[in-house]
C-alpha cells in the first residue's frame, strides 16, 4: 500500500471516529420547563364555535404538553403548574412568586430555557416584569393564545410549539424575555395586547424581534434597553412590590379619581393622560398636591404608540414629575413598582424610565 493510500485510509478512519461522537452531542436536546399559570391557552369552550366565550384556566399543564407531541422533537420538556387562573386575576404577590420560581429554574444547569404559559389580558405586564428582574441570559418565553384549544382554528398549539422552539434555541440567549404569538417573536419589554379578539392581538410599535417558521427562528432586531442580566433589579432580593395606581385620562375628569388613587401606601400614580401624557389645567394643582405629599407622579399616555416628551405638555422639572417615555400605563406601573422596591429620587426614577 502506498504512503498516499495509507494516509487517505487513516484520515477516513479518523474522520469517521471523530464524526460519531459529535453527532451524538449534536442530537442532545436542551431541557425546557413549561411553567403554566392558566389563561385562554388552558381554556375550554362549550363547542368548537366558542372562540370568544369560554372558561379560561381549565386544562392542566400535563395535558397542554401532551396535546403538542411535536414538542418532543425540539426539547426535553417538563411542566409545572404555578397557578391555574385567568390572567386578569394576577396580583403583585403572584408576580413575585412566579419570578422567583423562574429564576430558580434557570439557575439549574440542566435547564436550557423556560416557557411561561399565561392568559393574554396581563401577559404583557408579566413579561415585562420578568424582563426587569430575572438575572439570567437563558431564554424566557411567555406565551398565550387568543382562542381556547377547543375552538376551531385554535392558536395555542402552534404558539406553544413556537415558544418551546425559541426557548430551546441558542440564538434566543441574551435577548431578554420574549413573547411568541402568531408566529412573531416579540420583546416582553414593549409588546402590548392591541386587539381583544383576533389571533394577531399582540404587537409592538417598534416591530417584532423575529419570527418562527416551521420550527426555525429568524431574527431581525435586538432590544436596545436594559434587561435581565444587565438589570439593576434582582427577583432574588424582592419579596413584595409597592402599590402603584393608574388614573385614566379623559375629557372632563373627576378629581376624586386622583384622591382615590393616592390612598395611604400608594408610592406612585401613573397619569394615563391624553395625547402626550397631557394633564388638564384643572388637574395640575391636584397632581402637584399629591406630589407634595410624597407620592411620585409619572406621566404616561393612553395613546398606544409614540413617546411622552419631558417638559413638553407640562413643566416636569418644575413640578418634580417623571415621564414614562414609550411605556404604556400598565408597563409604566410595572417599572415604577419594581424601581420603588428601592428608595429612588425623582431624578433616579427618570433615569430608570430612560434606560429600561
Amino acid at each position: 500500500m502506498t504512503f498516499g493510500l495509507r494516509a487517505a485510509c487513516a484520515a477516513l478512519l479518523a474522520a469517521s471516529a471523530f464524526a460519531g461522537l459529535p453527532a451524538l452531542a449534536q442530537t442532545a436536546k436542551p431541557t425546557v420547563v413549561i411553567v403554566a399559570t392558566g389563561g385562554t391557552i388552558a381554556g375550554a369552550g362549550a363547542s368548537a364555535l366558542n372562540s370568544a366565550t369560554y372558561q379560561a384556566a381549565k386544562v392542566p399543564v400535563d395535558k397542554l404538553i401532551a396535546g403538542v407531541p411535536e414538542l418532543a422533537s425540539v426539547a426535553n420538556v417538563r411542566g409545572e403548574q404555578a397557578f391555574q387562573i385567568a390572567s386578569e386575576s394576577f396580583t403583585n404577590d403572584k408576580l413575585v412568586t412566579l419570578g422567583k420560581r423562574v429564576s430558580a429554574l434557570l439557575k439549574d444547569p440542566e435547564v436550557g430555557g423556560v416557557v411561561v404559559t399565561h392568559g393574554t389580558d396581563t401577559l404583557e405586564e408579566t413579561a415585562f416584569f420578568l424582563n426587569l428582574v430575572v438575572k439570567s441570559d437563558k431564554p424566557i418565553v411567555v406565551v398565550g393564545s387568543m382562542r381556547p384549544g377547543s375552538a376551531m382554528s385554535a392558536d395555542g398549539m402552534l404558539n406553544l410549539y413556537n415558544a418551546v422552539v425559541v426557548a430551546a434555541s441558542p440564538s434566543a440567549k441574551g435577548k431578554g424575555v420574549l413573547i411568541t404569538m402568531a408566529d412573531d417573536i416579540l420583546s416582553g419589554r414593549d409588546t402590548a395586547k392591541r386587539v381583544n379578539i383576533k389571533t394577531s392581538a399582540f404587537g409592538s410599535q417598534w416591530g417584532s424581534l423575529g419570527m418562527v417558521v416551521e420550527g426555525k427562528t429568524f431574527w431581525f432586531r435586538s432590544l436596545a434597553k436594559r434587561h435581565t442580566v444587565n438589570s439593576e433589579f434582582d427577583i432574588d432580593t424582592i419579596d413584595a412590590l409597592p402599590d402603584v395606581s393608574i388614573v385614566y385620562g379623559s375629557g372632563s375628569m373627576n378629581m376624586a379619581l386622583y384622591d382615590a388613587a393616592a390612598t395611604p401606601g400608594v408610592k406612585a400614580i401613573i397619569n394615563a393622560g391624553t395625547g402626550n401624557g397631557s394633564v388638564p389645567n384643572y388637574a395640575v394643582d391636584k397632581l402637584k398636591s399629591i406630589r407634595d405629599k410624597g407620592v411620585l407622579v409619572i406621566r404616561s399616555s393612553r395613546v398606544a404608540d409614540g413617546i411622552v416628551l419631558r417638559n413638553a405638555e407640562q413643566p416636569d422639572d418644575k413640578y418634580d414629575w417623571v415621564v414614562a417615555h414609550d411605556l404604556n400605563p400598565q408597563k409604566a406601573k410595572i417599572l415604577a413598582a419594581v424601581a420603588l422596591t428601592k428608595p429612588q429620587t425623582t431624578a433616579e426614577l427618570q433615569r430608570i424610565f430612560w434606560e429600561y
Side-chain angles (χ1 to χ4, degrees), residues 33 53 77 90 102 107 115-116 175 229 237 239 257 260 321 325 328:
V33 182
T53 54
V77 176
F90 249 78
V102 171
K107 286 184 174 69
V115 169
V116 177
K175 287 183 167 63
V229 290
T237 66
D239 294 319
L257 295 172
W321 294 350
H325 197 29
N328 65 26

Side-chain angles (χ1 to χ4, degrees), residues 103-180:
S103 176
L105 285 169
L106 293 174
K107 286 184 174 69
D108 183 346
E110 298 299 317
V111 174
V114 167
V115 169
V116 177
T117 63
H118 202 287
T120 58
D121 279 2
T122 60
L123 185 152
E124 65 195 82
E125 286 111 305
T126 295
F128 188 36
F129 175 74
L130 297 174
N131 194 63
L132 294 169
V133 301
V134 177
K135 306 282 281 186
S136 175
D137 65 354
K138 294 179 182 179
I140 304 167
V141 186
V142 187
V143 64
S145 71
M146 294 301 297
R147 295 171 179 165
S150 55
M152 287 191 288
S153 297
D155 54 326
M157 183 177 178
L158 182 57
N159 287 348
L160 181 59
Y161 175 77
N162 287 345
V164 173
V165 166
V166 174
S169 174
S171 67
K173 186 176 181 180
K175 287 183 167 63
V177 174
L178 305 167
I179 295 169
T180 56

Side-chain angles (χ1 to χ4, degrees), residues 180-197:
T180 56
M181 296 285 289
D183 297 335
D184 283 327
I185 307 172
L186 299 152
S187 170
R189 188 256 173 197
D190 46 52
T191 296
K193 184 177 181 179
R194 293 166 161 236
V195 183
N196 66 343
I197 295 292

Side-chain angles (χ1 to χ4, degrees), residues 12 32 43 56 59 78 98 135 146 209 243 266 275 306 348:
L12 181 60
V32 172
V59 181
R78 70 173 194 260
L98 177 63
K135 306 282 281 186
M146 294 301 297
L209 300 183
D243 286 336
V266 171
E348 275 296 290

